Amino acid sequence: MSTSISAVSAGSTAASEMVTKKCTLSETTKAKLEALGITVTDGMTEAEAQAKISQAEAQQQSQNGGGQQQNSSESEILSQAKSLAAQVGVTVSSDADIGEILDDIGAELEVLLEDAQGNPTRLSTLSSYLSELTSLDSQYDSIQSSQQSMYAAMNMVSTNNKIALGLS
């Protein structure tokens, strides 16, 4: 009988260790969960907790206008690009992409710069157009980079969810 009691005791010890390991989250993860108002549940893995944190932070950012700010910035760049195109003399279709507009402006500015070689006043004006084009191009690249980072983060959360649910 003592053998069976030892075996039961060892089995319950192993089971309690597994439960302890299964619901052990790092202190920083627990603090983030609590700060976001997410309750820590028994059996929550680190991956599940990180996924919930990511979702809550994304939701919080979108409620604070993070998504709208990016869209308005893109529309502002589109508006500024169309304005610059009109100043340079480039015709823009209503459904043109920002990248296309910026490329067309750059091509037109090259032609205008070649034609204005002997005219310092015209070169000064074209130089200001060129600096505005460079600024718009870098802002647009920044938005594109931010969007790609967001999509990569969403893919990572998706992968973490699949792993946490045992789907992959």
Side-chain angles (χ1 to χ4, degrees):
M1 276 233 200
S2 67
T3 309
S4 63
I5 293 174
S6 305
V8 169
S9 176
S12 71
T13 303
S16 68
E17 285 178 7
M18 286 178 59
V19 168
T20 304
K21 286 181 182 177
K22 189 172 183 181
C23 66
T24 301
L25 297 174
S26 68
E27 293 301 317
T28 56
T29 302
K30 285 181 183 178
K32 284 182 183 178
L33 287 170
E34 290 173 7
L36 293 169
I38 301 171
T39 57
V40 179
T41 59
D42 289 338
M44 182 182 285
T45 64
E46 188 75 24
E48 290 172 333
Q50 291 297 330
K52 287 185 178 190
I53 289 170
S54 296
Q55 288 172 342
E57 287 175 343
Q59 183 179 10
Q60 195 174 42
Q61 186 176 10
S62 69
Q63 287 175 350
N64 292 338
Q68 288 179 338
Q69 180 182 6
Q70 198 168 31
N71 289 339
S72 67
S73 294
E74 193 168 347
S75 65
E76 287 174 9
I77 291 174
L78 179 62
S79 172
Q80 292 171 357
K82 285 183 177 181
S83 173
L84 180 60
Q87 291 174 350
V88 172
V90 174
T91 57
V92 177
S93 65
S94 62
D95 63 341
D97 182 57
I98 296 173
E100 295 171 1
I101 295 171
L102 295 176
D103 290 342
D104 292 344
I105 293 170
E108 182 66 23
L109 280 176
E110 286 181 22
V111 171
L112 292 174
L113 283 169
E114 288 177 11
D115 292 343
Q117 287 300 325
N119 188 348
T121 308
R122 185 73 179 144
L123 284 174
S124 173
T125 304
L126 293 175
S127 175
S128 69
Y129 291 157
L130 188 60
S131 66
E132 187 175 347
L133 175 65
T134 305
S135 173
L136 288 173
D137 194 38
S138 68
Q139 289 174 17
Y140 182 62
D141 286 345
S142 174
I143 286 175
Q144 292 296 327
S145 175
S146 295
Q147 287 176 346
Q148 289 173 352
S149 296
M150 178 189 64
Y151 292 139
M154 290 171 65
N155 283 334
M156 185 178 72
V157 169
S158 170
T159 302
N160 284 341
N161 286 341
K162 287 177 187 176
I163 291 170
L165 296 172
L167 297 175
S168 67

